[in-house]
Amino acid sequence: MKNIIKNEKYGEIIFEENFWTGKKNIVIDGKPLTKVDKTTYKTEDDKTVSLSGNFLYGCKMTLEGETIELSPAVKWYEYVLSFLPFVLIMVWGNISALCQIVPVVGGAIGGFVSAIFCCVNLFIIKKFRQWWLKLIISIITLGLTFLVCYLIALAILAVM
């Protein structure tokens, strides 16, 4: 994930964080910082930059006593939107009257599939700033989760 922050004192700050590995890169005003350890970097003029946080909790940089937000934390509604596929499958898969209408796989398989979609949804919607776009993406993810669990249920029923 790449964030570009405009700061009046330091100029353009480019912050990149790899979601999978957690590797971070910082460029301040066109000059890349040198990594000292996991959370400490040095500028070309030997100033120390400290990082705190991560993808979920937001990342902040401290330089010369000033704290600058590099990436925002996940908001409460992003958690709710991302958790909906799991709730839908767990509820639908455990109510037999609903499964007679449209069968979906529940239990451990449904929980695993829906948990994967929850994580994918959170990762995707964190990249966008507009709330309505996050909502649309979450609805699409919810539908895909339901479709995949439905197809798995049909495959299981066909084998029986």
Side-chain angles (χ1 to χ4, degrees), residues 12 20 48 55 61 63 69 78 83 85 89-91 98 104 117 119 123 139 143 148 150:
E12 184 178 75
W20 302 108
T48 302
F55 178 78
M61 169 181 94
L63 175 60
E69 183 180 77
E78 293 171 338
F83 195 61
I89 296 304
M90 287 299 105
V91 170
L98 291 175
V104 296
F117 276 98
C119 294
F123 176 70
I139 291 170
V148 168
Y150 170 69

Side-chain angles (χ1 to χ4, degrees), residues 1-3 15-22 24 52-60 71-75 78-79 119-128:
M1 182 185 227
K2 182 177 183 179
N3 290 340
F15 173 69
E16 291 181 277
E17 180 178 15
N18 187 314
F19 175 75
W20 302 108
T21 63
K24 299 171 180 138
S52 61
N54 59 24
F55 178 78
L56 291 177
Y57 300 111
C59 196
K60 295 180 179 161
S71 68
V74 176
K75 295 171 181 59
E78 293 171 338
Y79 281 120
C119 294
V120 167
N121 186 58
L122 183 62
F123 176 70
I124 292 172
I125 67 173
K126 181 99 165 62
K127 291 182 175 184
F128 296 97

Side-chain angles (χ1 to χ4, degrees), residues 15-36:
F15 173 69
E16 291 181 277
E17 180 178 15
N18 187 314
F19 175 75
W20 302 108
T21 63
K23 183 180 177 185
K24 299 171 180 138
N25 292 321
I26 305 173
V27 177
I28 298 178
D29 206 24
K31 300 170 189 158
L33 301 185
T34 307
K35 188 172 186 173
V36 176

Side-chain angles (χ1 to χ4, degrees), residues 1-158:
M1 182 185 227
K2 182 177 183 179
N3 290 340
I4 299 172
I5 300 97
K6 304 284 185 192
N7 186 285
E8 47 201 50
K9 185 175 180 182
Y10 301 110
E12 184 178 75
I13 301 170
I14 300 172
F15 173 69
E16 291 181 277
E17 180 178 15
N18 187 314
F19 175 75
W20 302 108
T21 63
K23 183 180 177 185
K24 299 171 180 138
N25 292 321
I26 305 173
V27 177
I28 298 178
D29 206 24
K31 300 170 189 158
L33 301 185
T34 307
K35 188 172 186 173
V36 176
D37 61 36
K38 189 175 180 178
T39 60
T40 309
Y41 292 80
K42 290 275 187 184
T43 63
E44 284 184 347
D45 50 349
D46 212 34
K47 294 178 185 171
T48 302
V49 176
S50 298
L51 287 181
S52 61
N54 59 24
F55 178 78
L56 291 177
Y57 300 111
C59 196
K60 295 180 179 161
M61 169 181 94
T62 305
L63 175 60
E64 296 180 328
E66 183 180 348
T67 302
I68 301 167
E69 183 180 77
L70 299 174
S71 68
V74 176
K75 295 171 181 59
W76 66 270
Y77 62 87
E78 293 171 338
Y79 281 120
V80 170
L81 289 173
S82 295
F83 195 61
L84 286 177
F86 184 78
V87 171
L88 174 68
I89 296 304
M90 287 299 105
V91 170
W92 196 289
N94 286 310
I95 298 176
S96 60
L98 291 175
C99 282
Q100 289 175 354
I101 299 169
V102 179
V104 296
V105 67
I109 297 171
F112 178 73
V113 169
S114 61
I116 288 173
F117 276 98
C118 289
C119 294
V120 167
N121 186 58
L122 183 62
F123 176 70
I124 292 172
I125 67 173
K126 181 99 165 62
K127 291 182 175 184
F128 296 97
R129 296 195 187 274
Q130 299 89 353
W131 66 270
W132 56 270
L133 196 53
K134 293 179 184 198
L135 182 63
I136 290 170
I137 291 168
S138 296
I139 291 170
I140 291 169
T141 304
L142 185 67
L144 286 173
T145 305
F146 195 83
L147 177 65
V148 168
C149 288
Y150 170 69
L151 293 174
I152 292 172
L154 287 181
I156 292 172
L157 290 173

